[in-house]
Amino acid sequence: MSKINKQYDFVIIGSGPAGSILAWNLAKSNFKVAIIDRATNIKIFNDKNSFIFTPYINNSPNYYTPLFSNQLGGNSALWNNKISLITKEEFVSGKWPFNYEELLAYSKNLAKQLDLDHQKISFVDDFKNIKFSRSTRAKKLGNLYFSLKISDHKNIDIYHSSSPVNINSNEDCVKKINIKNIKGEISELKINKALIFCAGGLGNPHILKNLLKDHNTLIGKKLSDHPHINIGNLSKNDISEFINFSKYFINNSEQMDEDSLFLSLKNYFVGLQVDFSQDPSRILKRLFIKSRSFLSKKLLSLLINYYSLFLKFLSLLKIRGKYSFELFFSQNQNLNNLMELDPNSKDEFDLVKSNIIWDFTRDELDIYNHLINQLIGKEGLLLKTNNFFKFRKNKIMAGLHPSCTTQIDNENNLGCVDKNLKLKGYDNIFINGSSVFPNNGFTNPTWTIMTLSNRLSKHLEDL
Ligand SMILES: Cc1cc2nc3c(=O)[nH]c(=O)nc-3n(C[C@H](O)[C@H](O)[C@H](O)COP(=O)(O)OP(=O)(O)OC[C@H]3O[C@@H](n4cnc5c(N)ncnc54)[C@H](O)[C@@H]3O)c2cc1C
């Protein structure tokens, strides 16, 4: 039974960085926009420890634990605000179907709109023949839904605690969708111009597989991530040797922003950041995400909160634990890594849930080990140590940067969306997010996603 029957120029699924930047731009150009988000937590602003098990995933490997904020603003409620534009090397390696200069122009334009220093966002340099980029922490961005004041905009309506459940298309053009809220009420929204999916790297393939009957068989395939691993415990001596060695590479020991090296081997990229201590909260967070019982969730969330307070206290006293290197790797595309529907399980909107199948190839493990030891092994480029560091699956953190599941066309035309992010087979469905990336490099994805939304909004305005 339809409750609301409203008409919009654009309907956007997802209020994370992709959806918020898109809605913000379109609304500024006077279009009527609706944002639909399944998040049910609309009061908490940027609470980093309030995440839940991704509600539309039934099963995933133990070492693949995607976080879901369940807040408006998507995972920008949880992120660390580290931004940098994908490097030209990664862009070229992914064979993106347009010029890097075009992306750069949209990135500069967005930085200007948000009053950020673009030089810091696309900083690339050489140091002793190793190329590197550096992220900048743009704390003021925070949860983008709130920092852009999306809910105050007169041209934007928000439907939270809701998901699309049905698409009505006439030929290949979507004219209306039905959305359902968690109370089970169904509404109909009419679409004048376009429907845009900004539901995240896993959310996009999940919802598209549910809604599109004859969906492209590539949707959900080639799931790539950006596995992080903490390698250490390094002593203070080790770390100061590293810092002395690379004064230029790292600003200073107190303010260690993320630095990503372009060390590449057979098209694999590695990023590196000096961190402090192997973080026990990771283990707690992983247990929390995996745990389904209310009591253990409560207990674990208390422990995580206390641990965060403890860390804050230590940092106030300028006490740090042991240091470690945080390395993160790109991943090659593999058709065996995928998200698929699990017909035996349903979520709160009666959508079929998904399972995640994701692993590394033997080749990848060998390359990661080689890259690690090239950096900090016996002949380490950045630090010579006698330790033999090994990439171990059970030590990694993965699932924070799911990509490539609705990938953009590159030279073989084997993507799900064209160069304007339009879903193939439909005239007015578009997709944005890391799901459209043709490959997963080492650069944190969000600024590139926001830049793509800036680019997409210009395209949509001309429809
Ligand atoms: C702990 C953590 C730290 C991170 N740190 C960084 C960092 O420092 N730098 C960086 O670049 N990136 C970082 N990231 C990644 C960053 O959060 C994501 O790249 C970014 O949020 C992706 O934006 P998005 O809008 O594409 O998707 P999301 O932020 O995931 O937003 C998707 C939205 O879609 C909604 N949605 C999903 N399915 C449906 C549905 N069926 N119906 C309606 N709505 C739906 C979700 O509720 C969500 O609000 C981090 C992530 C985590 C978890």
Side-chain angles (χ1 to χ4, degrees):
M1 189 47 144
S2 281
K3 210 181 73 172
I4 310 167
N5 192 332
K6 277 193 144 186
Q7 189 153 318
Y8 295 94
D9 295 316
F10 297 102
V11 173
I12 299 173
I13 314 302
S15 67
S20 284
I21 291 285
L22 192 61
W24 184 61
N25 271 347
L26 292 170
K28 278 196 292 185
S29 301
N30 257 334
F31 291 103
K32 273 302 271 177
V33 179
I35 299 183
I36 323 297
D37 201 298
R38 65 182 298 151
T40 55
N41 198 346
I42 53 166
K43 288 190 192 126
I44 292 183
F45 169 58
N46 219 6
D47 181 349
K48 286 194 163 215
N49 287 322
S50 144
F51 50 84
I52 58 168
F53 186 83
T54 309
Y56 50 84
I57 292 177
N58 202 35
N59 265 313
S60 65
N62 269 338
Y63 42 88
Y64 195 91
T65 44
L67 301 189
F68 185 81
S69 78
N70 197 30
Q71 297 174 57
L72 289 174
N75 278 358
S76 70
L78 308 175
W79 76 325
N80 296 316
N81 298 276
K82 287 184 280 188
I83 53 170
S84 62
L85 184 68
I86 178 178
T87 59
K88 190 164 186 177
E89 281 72 6
E90 292 164 280
F91 190 87
V92 169
S93 140
K95 302 187 173 77
W96 286 70
F98 54 91
N99 291 332
Y100 190 70
E101 285 59 40
E102 188 185 335
L103 191 77
L104 204 58
Y106 280 106
S107 173
K108 283 183 182 160
N109 171 278
L110 184 62
K112 200 167 166 200
Q113 291 184 65
L114 296 172
D115 198 20
L116 294 167
D117 178 354
H118 192 264
Q119 275 194 332
K120 288 190 177 163
I121 298 174
S122 68
F123 181 89
V124 174
D125 213 338
D126 265 296
F127 179 67
K128 300 201 172 188
N129 292 331
I130 308 171
K131 274 202 157 183
F132 73 95
S133 67
R134 178 175 285 153
S135 287
T136 181
R137 252 176 229 264
K139 278 207 171 138
K140 73 173 194 179
L141 293 182
N143 179 328
L144 275 146
Y145 176 85
F146 290 97
S147 58
L148 297 174
K149 299 192 169 57
I150 296 293
S151 58
D152 295 350
H153 210 292
K154 67 175 177 24
N155 287 338
I156 305 178
D157 285 348
I158 318 293
Y159 298 86
H160 61 80
S161 315
S162 302
S163 170
V165 286
N166 191 30
I167 285 182
N168 296 306
S169 58
N170 186 351
E171 303 267 290
D172 299 328
C173 186
V174 178
K175 298 279 182 203
K176 40 192 169 181
I177 61 167
N178 292 116
I179 62 170
K180 189 174 186 177
N181 65 20
I182 38 167
K183 292 183 194 150
E185 296 160 336
I186 294 182
S187 318
E188 185 178 87
L189 306 183
K190 292 205 172 97
I191 301 172
N192 291 337
K193 285 181 173 282
L195 170 66
I196 309 103
F197 287 88
C198 296
L202 294 173
N204 278 337
H206 169 258
I207 188 71
L208 286 161
K209 273 172 167 293
N210 265 280
L211 298 186
L212 305 179
K213 282 177 195 73
D214 299 319
H215 62 77
N216 184 323
T217 51
L218 275 179
I219 293 178
K221 296 229 171 93
K222 300 188 188 171
L223 171 64
S224 310
D225 218 283
H226 179 117
H228 275 238
I229 186 157
N230 244 211
I231 308 248
N233 292 315
L234 298 158
S235 70
K236 235 184 170 157
N237 277 349
D238 280 343
I239 214 79
S240 43
E241 188 192 328
F242 174 76
I243 288 164
N244 288 334
F245 169 75
S246 56
K247 277 241 156 57
Y248 180 63
F249 182 66
I250 280 185
N251 283 337
N252 62 65
S253 53
E254 290 307 315
Q255 180 58 54
M256 292 181 203
D257 276 347
E258 181 169 302
D259 293 277
S260 302
L261 294 160
F262 292 19
L263 208 68
S264 70
L265 189 68
K266 293 191 191 162
N267 259 345
Y268 285 82
F269 293 95
V270 57
L272 173 138
Q273 166 189 354
V274 179
D275 231 321
F276 64 101
S277 91
Q278 304 238 31
D279 181 357
S281 74
R282 280 185 172 203
I283 303 159
L284 296 175
K285 282 180 180 165
R286 184 173 296 174
L287 286 173
F288 177 88
I289 299 163
K290 286 276 161 186
S291 134
R292 306 286 169 107
S293 114
F294 179 76
L295 257 181
S296 57
K297 266 195 181 301
K298 262 271 167 270
L299 185 70
L300 284 162
S301 85
L302 271 177
L303 284 172
I304 293 168
N305 277 323
Y306 281 129
Y307 183 70
S308 308
L309 279 177
F310 176 63
L311 277 186
K312 269 194 192 130
F313 176 68
L314 286 186
S315 74
L316 278 177
L317 295 178
K318 297 204 183 286
I319 298 173
R320 281 168 179 273
K322 285 211 164 179
Y323 290 92
S324 64
F325 285 105
E326 174 102 2
L327 295 162
F328 35 100
F329 301 91
S330 65
Q331 201 182 15
N332 268 1
Q333 296 204 330
N334 178 349
L335 279 169
N336 296 325
N337 286 347
L338 50 97
M339 162 184 254
E340 62 182 10
L341 294 184
D342 180 343
N344 299 319
S345 61
K346 294 243 169 112
D347 69 9
E348 65 266 50
F349 303 104
D350 258 348
L351 296 166
V352 176
K353 287 193 187 187
S354 291
N355 289 335
I356 284 174
I357 298 163
W358 181 81
D359 210 339
F360 304 100
T361 60
R362 176 124 295 285
D363 249 18
E364 268 168 346
L365 294 178
D366 288 347
I367 287 172
Y368 294 164
N369 276 324
H370 187 84
L371 284 168
I372 291 170
N373 287 292
Q374 233 181 309
L375 284 172
I376 51 173
K378 267 204 155 72
E379 297 306 318
L381 281 168
L382 298 176
L383 180 65
K384 295 195 194 327
T385 60
N386 283 328
N387 305 338
F388 180 70
F389 295 112
K390 204 163 180 216
F391 183 90
R392 289 183 204 284
K393 276 195 227 173
N394 61 346
K395 293 267 185 214
I396 64 163
M397 174 96 137
L400 305 190
H401 303 120
S403 304
C404 310
T405 42
T406 62
Q407 100 168 57
I408 196 168
D409 256 347
N410 53 23
E411 59 186 9
N412 304 321
N413 278 356
L414 280 179
C416 298
V417 296
D418 70 13
K419 68 174 184 165
N420 293 319
L421 307 187
K422 187 180 77 61
L423 180 63
K424 288 183 186 173
Y426 287 87
D427 293 340
N428 67 339
I429 297 186
F430 293 80
I431 306 177
N432 190 28
S434 52
S435 64
V436 305
F437 288 11
N439 62 340
N440 197 340
F442 61 84
T443 301
N444 275 317
T446 311
W447 182 261
T448 306
I449 296 172
M450 290 161 66
T451 299
L452 288 174
S453 273
N454 193 29
R455 178 177 177 268
L456 177 59
S457 62
K458 299 291 169 283
H459 179 74
L460 294 177
E461 282 168 18
D462 296 336
L463 279 187

